[in-house]
Amino acid sequence: MIKRAFALTAVILVVVLVLISQLPEKVRFDTPLSKLKDEYKTKKRSSVVHASFPELRKQFSSPRDVTAACIRCHNGSHTEVMATSHWKWEREEFIVGKGIRTVGKKNILNNFCIGISGNETTCNSCHVGYGWGDRTFNFSDSLNVDCLGCHDHTGTYVKPVGNSGYPDPTINLALVAQSVGRPIRENCGVCHFNSGGGNNVKHGDLESALLETTRDIDVHLASDGGDLHCVDCHRTENHQMLGKMYTFSSMNRDRATCEQCHGSLPHENDVINEHTMKVACQTCHIPRYAKVNPVKTTWDWSTAGRLRNAEPYEERDSTGVITYTSKKGTFTWGRNLIPEYFWFNGTASHYLLGDTLPATEPLQMNPLQGSYDDPEAKIVPVRVHRALQIYDTKYRYLIQPKTVSTKHGDCGYWKEFNWPRAAEEGMKEVGLPYSGEYGFTSTEMYLPLNHMVSPKSETVKCEECHTRDGSRIAALTDFYLPGRDRSAPVETFGFFLVVVSLIGALGHAATRIVFRKRTQSEQQQ
Amino acid sequence: MKKRVTIYKGFERFWHWAQAALVLLLAFSGFEVHGSLDFFGFEQAVSIHTTAAWAFLVLIAFAIFWHITTGEWRQYIPTKQYIRSYIEYYLIGIFRNAPHPTRKTTLSKLNPLQKIVYFSLKAVIIPVMVSSGLLYLFFRYPQRYGIESLTIGGLETIAVLHTAGAFVLVSFFIVHIYLITTGTTITSNLKAMITGVEELEDEEEVLSASDVRSAPAVGRNDSIDPKAATQ
């Protein structure tokens, strides 16, 4: 009787334990999603109507006059803007292996349009200022600050290429000035969606489709989702915004992170929460990128310069994307791509102007730092852009070519299609010698993905990584991953053991049957 | 004299079958986590494996308590006696319908080979599986919290050890299933583990004739049916 009670208790305990382990651990919920959704449901509205200010109800002859009008009330904002990277395009950074350097868009090369030096009139149409057309730009003139690019709400404010950051002269500046408000997606998108010379050339997860989108593309920006604006996550204080682009940022600071809203343990499942120590949110929640429009995957500068009837030309594929232009060479594009994965601790190194190229290709333009053993590092999804770009074969460093041409005979490649002249002029601009000999070397640029977060149902499934064949993180081999990895000796030992047991049991059984039959037939005789 | 005896008590049978079910569940889900099978789906496999592991731990706790309080733990003390006879039995005797070298009694349910195998399971394999399993479960990248005393660089050692143990258990399982059929009749061992009851030699007789720990067959000759059983 006692033993039966004992057994019953055991059964009940096991059942209870099973039930308890199935309960979601609500305790771990430090930022419930529902609370966040409520918080962002009410849209921020300005309490000020700029249109009623007499200072703005007049004709402006120059955008600089608008800035002057802004400063009259916002009399500290211009100094704030002038302290940001959006204005300086450089900042002091500690770079692994290189020490403290002042770097940014101003002097770091990329493997898209390569670099701004000598090409400012066009590249710098995305500068938050007016008139940065060459090295003589005055960074301390507050009237050079462009308030409207980020604060325009009319959607009419355009800064054309080749205009050194000045807006189109036909724009009604008064109307724009009266419309200003908190930056919306359109303001940021003008530059951040079209960087590199067109929509989705650079990022893959930032493109014009995000202006008006749905949850399956981006849960945060979707009109049927969070309907957020960029600055909701890229929180801004005194014009200093959170968020990093590691193509030219180096240090782990001022980042806009998922955790800032969602907390560090946002899942109901403990095992998944545990993953967040080594796996970034983005890794599972951005299963694919370039989900709407294609992103440029490779850029071969070496084929640039072909002419038809002495004229430059363009070629497009059946989907309408440019596959060749005489100005820039050959491109390939990809849509709905699976990211590549890297360990990343928030710091990146950089190839800097004048650095000697490594002996082996490709050149890593911005190697992301981190490894399994690095406690700060997590696995992140990355878009890798691969290119062939021009370098000095004798001095073995990358060349900053002059691409943009503003006047006849200024060596701009996009007019003359002459690499030696473009190289010489560009290198003169950055103050490095050019040997006169050039070639093309393969380069890689790493762009960690942070946008186009998919709905929960699209999240990367366990077995997409925990699998022997075709694991998403097959390239990360510096640690043991259950389901993917195994020890060859133990597998061999195990297989041998199981096979020997099976053969032993079956062989023994067969022998018994044979002997039994023999005995039976003997008895019958 | 033969007598129907309750050889496996209620708890013992519950323990055995619960353990069997859990081990099967753990093996299937475990080898799925290992990447060898595709059955439940990885996420489900992990969840099942974790739940079954906890249930198994509770069961082990109860089993230990039962073995200690009932003194049944003595059944598993290995002995050198009759090992040779048993090896000979399984290699030769069994085919000639020879009797088991010793008799099964409530005081000595296990033959010397079983004692060695079960003792190794309980003293080596299960502790290895439980401790590596707990480390696997509680592996929380200790370096992040600066728990220096627990510097586990990664899962590799734990996982490889756990996998090796799992292979041994699978192999045990196969042999165990087969050996069930080597009792007095093909099914007598199975029936005993289900009902608890088996026809054994009268214990009084056996006791008076031999050592209780590993009772040898009394009056071993061809006239006596080989009623002693083993699994």
Side-chain angles (χ1 to χ4, degrees):
Chain A
M1 208 47 213
I2 289 170
K3 294 217 169 106
R4 195 153 288 177
F6 189 71
L8 199 70
T9 321
V11 176
I12 291 168
L13 246 159
V14 171
V15 171
V16 167
L17 209 94
V18 168
L19 289 178
I20 288 175
S21 72
Q22 296 301 315
L23 286 177
E25 302 198 12
K26 295 280 183 206
V27 197
R28 300 273 173 151
F29 252 68
D30 44 13
T31 317
L33 197 59
S34 53
K35 221 171 99 185
L36 269 179
K37 284 179 178 168
D38 285 346
E39 192 182 329
Y40 283 92
K41 207 179 279 169
T42 39
K43 297 294 164 199
K44 290 186 171 68
R45 279 183 57 205
S46 174
S47 49
V48 173
V49 182
H50 281 85
S52 55
F53 293 151
E55 287 87 343
L56 301 178
R57 294 168 71 94
K58 60 175 195 180
Q59 285 303 309
F60 292 100
S61 55
S62 145
R64 288 165 57 92
D65 295 345
V66 181
T67 305
C70 299
I71 292 173
R72 222 162 288 141
C73 293
H74 301 276
N75 59 12
S77 294
H78 57 292
T79 33
E80 287 175 12
V81 171
M82 287 159 81
T84 66
S85 310
H86 271 130
W87 173 259
K88 295 191 200 169
W89 282 18
E90 66 177 10
R91 78 196 104 188
E92 215 171 62
E93 297 260 62
F94 175 81
I95 305 174
V96 180
K98 306 206 163 143
I100 295 168
R101 304 284 283 264
T102 304
V103 293
K105 288 183 92 65
K106 205 178 192 173
N107 56 6
I108 278 190
L109 300 189
N110 61 59
N111 68 0
F112 298 90
C113 288
I114 301 178
I116 71 160
S117 301
N119 308 313
E120 290 89 345
T121 52
T122 286
C123 300
N124 298 15
S125 61
C126 271
H127 181 240
V128 291
Y130 301 125
W132 186 356
D134 56 37
R135 274 177 296 170
T136 63
F137 178 67
N138 185 354
F139 284 93
S140 51
D141 180 354
S142 59
L143 294 186
N144 279 343
V145 172
D146 175 4
C147 309
L148 301 177
C150 302
H151 294 283
D152 163 48
H153 278 196
T154 63
T156 62
Y157 189 76
V158 182
K159 308 216 299 179
V161 290
N163 213 17
S164 305
Y166 278 107
D168 188 319
T170 62
I171 292 165
N172 183 341
L173 292 171
L175 214 63
V176 174
Q178 289 163 28
S179 79
V180 292
R182 189 170 180 260
I184 53 176
R185 290 193 283 269
E186 283 77 357
N187 297 117
C188 311
V190 167
C191 289
H192 292 282
F193 295 166
N194 296 302
S195 50
N199 183 44
N200 218 12
V201 166
K202 234 177 218 176
H203 293 280
D205 62 338
L206 285 176
E207 60 127 330
S208 53
L210 296 180
L211 291 175
E212 191 60 52
T213 195
T214 48
R215 285 191 79 246
D216 54 326
I217 304 302
D218 187 308
V219 293
H220 295 113
L221 300 178
S223 45
D224 60 344
D227 202 12
L228 301 179
H229 287 288
C230 308
V231 288
D232 285 328
C233 298
H234 293 273
R235 289 177 190 165
T236 306
E237 239 174 86
N238 305 327
H239 286 92
Q240 296 280 358
M241 310 191 70
L242 292 183
K244 289 257 137 178
M245 194 54 221
Y246 281 94
T247 46
F248 43 76
S249 290
S250 313
M251 292 167 70
N252 187 10
R253 57 175 180 182
D254 305 330
R255 296 169 75 183
T257 67
C258 311
E259 289 89 342
Q260 280 158 8
C261 285
H262 295 282
S264 54
L265 302 169
H267 307 97
E268 285 186 37
N269 184 321
D270 235 8
V271 180
I272 296 176
N273 274 335
E274 210 175 304
H275 277 70
T276 62
M277 288 173 192
K278 288 285 181 191
V279 181
C281 311
Q282 294 92 324
T283 300
C284 301
H285 293 281
I286 306 176
R288 289 174 181 269
Y289 66 99
K291 288 195 281 192
V292 187
N293 292 303
V295 62
K296 199 172 279 186
T297 46
T298 66
W299 182 326
D300 180 359
W301 275 100
S302 72
T303 61
R306 292 177 196 151
L307 304 175
R308 267 184 201 154
N309 308 323
E311 286 295 321
Y313 66 97
E314 273 182 14
E315 279 171 2
R316 288 171 190 265
D317 72 3
S318 56
T319 64
V321 293
I322 297 175
T323 51
Y324 179 79
T325 83
S326 304
K327 284 180 171 182
K328 299 176 178 179
T330 311
F331 312 136
T332 58
W333 301 77
R335 213 175 71 86
N336 220 11
L337 298 171
I338 292 179
E340 295 177 45
Y341 297 91
F342 291 81
W343 285 110
F344 184 43
N345 62 14
T347 65
S349 186
H350 294 286
Y351 175 83
L352 299 179
L353 264 168
D355 286 353
T356 306
L357 293 175
T360 51
E361 291 186 33
L363 164 68
Q364 300 186 308
M365 303 290 281
N366 61 328
L368 305 177
Q369 308 293 304
S371 67
Y372 175 81
D373 292 326
D374 180 343
E376 295 304 320
K378 293 182 181 189
I379 295 170
V380 296
V382 176
R383 140 161 166 75
V384 182
H385 180 257
R386 296 180 167 86
L388 277 175
Q389 69 187 94
I390 188 168
Y391 78 108
D392 188 312
T393 49
K394 189 167 170 218
Y395 295 138
R396 290 199 59 75
Y397 46 56
L398 289 185
I399 287 173
Q400 161 71 70
K402 178 163 175 59
T403 48
V404 173
S405 174
T406 45
K407 57 179 189 285
H408 185 71
D410 66 356
C411 304
Y413 186 80
W414 290 343
K415 186 135 287 163
E416 298 184 9
F417 301 101
N418 183 327
W419 278 125
R421 277 171 59 82
E424 188 172 5
E425 185 62 23
M427 290 308 263
K428 207 183 285 168
E429 192 72 32
V430 297
L432 281 172
Y434 169 58
S435 71
E437 294 162 27
Y438 70 92
F440 292 85
T441 184
S442 66
T443 57
E444 286 185 352
M445 202 142 201
Y446 311 99
L447 295 88
L449 296 163
N450 298 297
H451 309 91
M452 286 199 179
V453 172
S454 284
K456 194 178 174 184
S457 57
E458 301 294 315
T459 308
V460 172
K461 304 289 174 293
C462 308
E463 47 269 28
E464 290 182 54
C465 293
H466 293 276
T467 180
R468 290 185 183 175
D469 304 310
S471 168
R472 278 183 182 245
I473 53 172
L476 303 178
T477 53
D478 59 346
F479 68 107
Y480 183 94
L481 179 68
R484 181 191 70 173
D485 299 329
R486 62 212 140 128
S487 144
V490 167
E491 294 302 298
T492 314
F493 152 82
F495 181 74
F496 179 76
L497 203 64
V498 169
V499 166
V500 163
S501 310
L502 269 173
I503 290 174
L506 293 174
H508 201 268
T511 319
R512 273 168 73 201
I513 292 165
V514 169
F515 270 85
R516 174 178 286 193
K517 280 192 178 147
R518 193 180 293 174
T519 321
Q520 278 168 356
S521 61
E522 274 168 12
Q523 279 166 356
Q524 278 165 11
Q525 281 164 14
Chain B
M1 273 295 285
K2 281 177 285 174
K3 200 176 162 186
R4 287 175 60 80
V5 242
T6 303
I7 186 155
Y8 301 119
K9 312 258 171 15
F11 174 77
E12 210 171 4
R13 280 177 281 140
F14 161 75
W15 167 54
H16 175 269
W17 290 114
Q19 181 160 274
L22 287 174
V23 163
L24 266 178
L25 206 55
L26 284 166
F28 273 99
S29 55
F31 274 102
E32 176 148 12
V33 172
H34 187 53
S36 324
L37 301 173
D38 192 3
F39 200 67
F40 303 107
F42 191 90
E43 187 170 9
Q44 199 58 29
V46 169
S47 158
I48 290 173
H49 200 76
T50 311
T51 309
W54 282 113
F56 195 48
L57 282 178
V58 172
L59 190 66
I60 286 175
F62 274 84
I64 289 173
F65 180 76
W66 181 83
H67 277 90
I68 291 172
T69 52
T70 57
E72 286 285 315
W73 61 275
R74 289 193 186 88
Q75 301 265 9
Y76 300 94
I77 298 169
T79 167
K80 279 188 205 157
Q81 262 187 309
Y82 302 105
I83 284 189
R84 216 188 138 82
S85 331
Y86 262 95
I87 291 172
E88 278 171 11
Y89 170 74
Y90 282 114
L91 289 179
I92 302 158
I94 189 169
F95 303 125
R96 299 188 174 151
N97 226 11
H100 284 80
T102 61
R103 300 218 174 280
K104 195 176 187 178
T105 71
T106 48
L107 291 176
S108 180
K109 296 177 212 171
L110 305 175
N111 74 43
L113 292 180
Q114 286 178 307
K115 283 179 201 249
I116 290 174
V117 170
Y118 291 146
F119 181 78
S120 325
L121 276 185
K122 283 158 197 290
V124 184
I125 304 294
I126 300 293
V128 164
M129 292 308 275
V130 168
S131 50
S132 59
L134 284 173
L135 282 172
Y136 212 131
L137 214 49
F138 288 104
F139 179 76
R140 292 282 198 282
Y141 310 104
Q143 78 272 29
R144 190 171 179 95
Y145 301 111
I147 307 168
E148 295 302 327
S149 58
L150 239 175
T151 39
I152 305 168
L155 270 178
E156 184 153 20
T157 318
I158 300 167
V160 167
L161 206 64
H162 204 71
T163 311
F167 277 121
V168 173
L169 282 173
V170 168
S171 149
F172 164 80
F173 193 84
I174 293 166
V175 176
H176 182 78
I177 294 283
Y178 171 64
L179 287 176
I180 290 173
T181 67
T182 64
T184 314
T185 65
I186 300 262
T187 55
S188 62
N189 280 336
L190 183 63
K191 278 180 188 158
M193 194 46 93
I194 293 169
T195 62
V197 180
E198 190 172 1
E199 275 194 355
L200 299 178
E201 285 300 316
D202 194 334
E203 210 155 287
E204 301 297 312
E205 250 176 67
V206 177
L207 270 177
S208 59
S210 63
D211 168 27
V212 289
R213 294 240 173 98
S214 50
V218 251
R220 204 191 324 162
N221 59 46
D222 292 342
S223 65
I224 294 182
D225 264 337
K227 284 297 176 206
T230 186
Q231 64 181 68

